[in-house]
């Protein structure tokens, strides 16, 4: 995996500071306090039993990072809810919200996280929670063919690049 960072500027992307500090937080029974706080940002509880995996929490993670940075997220647990948030970007910016389809392009299933760059194979590197096959905050690699869109918070300086 090659981290092809475009412009890692934490001043332009304060939510990325929050996200990076969460690196390694896992959905492990008995150690779910942080996952629970992510889910609280979208009004979802953990499962009843601490022995079962929680719901998908990628969108809750992104909402929590935005909220902790003073930016309103979608407030929804559906990854595709981010497609109607902020402003669309024609080209990705480091730290932008990045939305993918999952299972099939025209279903409600999706995945969301923060754009880091491209791998040596041209896939998108994403910092997110509950990544594919890895229920933790980490970097995942996703094919461009599954990309639905790049989004940036409305009312910020980067809007000029849309």
């Amino acid at each position: 995996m090659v981290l092809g960072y475009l412009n890692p500027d934490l001043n332009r992307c304060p939510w990325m500071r929050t996200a990076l500090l969460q690196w390694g937080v896992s959905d492990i029974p008995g150690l779910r306090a942080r996952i629970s706080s992510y889910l609280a940002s979208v009004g979802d509880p953990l499962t009843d039993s601490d022995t079962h995996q929680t719901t998908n929490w990628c969108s809750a993670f992104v909402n929590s990072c935005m909220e902790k940075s003073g930016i309103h997220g979608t407030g929804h647990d559906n990854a595709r809810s981010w497609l109607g948030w902020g402003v669309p970007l024609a080209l990705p910016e480091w730290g932008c919200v990045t939305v993918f389809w999952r299972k099939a392009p025209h279903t409600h299933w999706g995945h969301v996280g923060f754009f880091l760059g491209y791998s040596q194979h041209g896939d998108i590197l994403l910092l997110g929670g509950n990544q594919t096959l890895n229920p933790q905050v980490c970097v995942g690699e996703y094919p461009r063919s599954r990309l639905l869109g790049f989004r940036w918070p409305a009312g910020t300086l980067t809007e000029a690049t849309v």
Side-chain angles (χ1 to χ4, degrees):
M1 184 178 336
V2 175
L3 295 181
Y5 292 112
L6 296 181
N7 185 13
D9 185 347
L10 294 174
N11 292 319
R12 283 185 43 220
C13 310
W15 58 90
M16 289 298 288
R17 180 175 286 112
T18 303
L20 289 165
L21 289 171
Q22 304 302 305
W23 190 291
V25 170
S26 297
D27 188 6
I28 298 171
L31 300 173
R32 293 188 171 156
R34 290 232 185 122
I35 306 291
S36 182
S37 73
Y38 303 155
L39 290 167
S41 74
V42 295
D44 279 353
L46 280 171
T47 55
D48 293 7
S49 168
D50 202 35
T51 60
H52 296 99
Q53 184 174 350
T54 61
T55 60
N56 294 328
W57 50 273
C58 62
S59 183
F61 171 72
V62 173
N63 268 289
S64 178
C65 291
M66 289 296 180
E67 187 177 279
K68 288 177 181 172
S69 301
I71 299 169
H72 291 290
T74 66
H76 297 284
D77 61 1
N78 185 302
R80 289 185 182 221
S81 67
W82 290 92
L83 290 171
W85 173 87
V87 294
L89 296 175
L91 297 172
E93 295 272 344
W94 185 84
C96 71
V97 172
T98 306
V99 184
F100 296 91
W101 60 266
R102 196 165 51 93
K103 295 193 179 187
H106 301 292
T107 66
H108 71 282
W109 297 96
H111 185 63
V112 65
F114 301 112
F115 181 84
L116 292 179
Y118 296 100
S119 72
Q120 64 188 14
H121 306 295
D123 290 332
I124 294 173
L125 298 173
L126 196 72
L127 174 63
N130 203 32
Q131 302 272 40
T132 304
L133 304 176
N134 201 350
Q136 66 177 328
V137 176
C138 61
V139 174
E141 193 170 329
Y142 294 86
R144 287 188 195 196
S145 61
R146 291 191 171 203
L147 177 68
L148 292 173
F150 300 113
R151 308 297 291 195
W152 194 264
T156 62
L157 298 175
T158 303
E159 267 190 61
T161 64
V162 296

